[in-house]
Amino acid sequence: MTKAGKSVSFKVPTSKLATGADAWIANRGAEPASDREGGNVTALKAVEAAPLPAPAPAAAPKEKMSRFTIDVPESLHRRVKMQCAGRGTKMADMMRELLEREFPEA
């Protein structure tokens, strides 16, 4: 049994918004020039970008990760999640740290 597919083409009209957005992306780091007509920016002047920080040293290749799933009471999950949020850390990072501390490499 063969299903014949129907081919439909769409024509997406260009809008002034899309053109403006494309121009903004192309000119990131530029700011509007002082000449304006009717509230529209008519030109962009370049802005000197701040120097980029030096790249971080190359990290050692990461070890392949494996999934570790456990069931915990909701109250414990909530406490861990609140503590991690307060510290600005991810729960997975905290659990890995706890496991590393409890089970150090020999």
Side-chain angles (χ1 to χ4, degrees), residues 9-13:
S9 61
F10 294 94
K11 183 176 180 182
V12 179

Side-chain angles (χ1 to χ4, degrees), residues 15-99:
S15 70
K16 290 181 183 179
L17 177 61
T19 305
D22 290 340
W24 178 83
I25 291 170
N27 294 302
R28 282 187 303 228
E31 63 183 30
S34 58
D35 55 337
R36 291 177 170 260
E37 295 176 5
N40 295 325
V41 175
T42 58
L44 294 173
K45 65 179 180 180
V47 173
E48 196 170 309
L52 294 174
K62 288 190 174 184
E63 186 176 349
K64 183 181 174 198
M65 300 298 257
S66 183
R67 179 76 45 186
F68 192 102
T69 306
I70 62 169
D71 294 319
V72 296
E74 284 184 19
S75 60
L76 175 59
H77 184 271
R78 198 174 311 117
R79 288 193 316 265
V80 172
K81 190 167 191 154
M82 287 175 59
Q83 287 289 319
C84 288
R87 297 175 186 177
T89 61
K90 294 180 182 177
M91 288 177 64
D93 293 339
M94 176 62 70
M95 292 297 119
R96 279 190 286 272
E97 184 182 311
L98 290 169
L99 289 168

Side-chain angles (χ1 to χ4, degrees), residues 1-7:
M1 176 188 249
T2 306
K3 268 190 168 178
K6 187 175 183 181
S7 177

